[in-house]
Amino acid sequence: MWSCPKCGASYFTAKTMHEIERIKALRKSLAVKRSVAVVAYEAADASTAGLSVPA
């Protein structure tokens, strides 16, 4: 990414834009599925968690 030192505008080079477009076009074939562990949290009631609750 390039940034103009005078105005601060940012842009990608043509080469970078072509690579982004290539990846977007081939994303299904380039992607690798990965399993990720996820933990579910439940909200705790402040009165049972030992926290002070403003009146």
Side-chain angles (χ1 to χ4, degrees), residues 5-54:
K6 291 183 180 180
C7 69
S10 299
Y11 60 93
F12 292 113
T13 63
K15 182 178 177 181
T16 299
M17 286 304 300
H18 287 297
E19 185 64 12
I20 290 171
E21 291 301 321
R22 186 186 74 79
I23 291 169
K24 284 171 57 177
L26 300 174
R27 68 185 174 123
K28 297 277 185 188
S29 63
L30 295 175
V32 177
K33 281 195 174 189
R34 294 187 176 110
S35 297
V36 178
V38 177
V39 177
Y41 292 95
E42 292 183 24
D45 183 0
S47 63
T48 61
L51 302 174
S52 61
V53 180

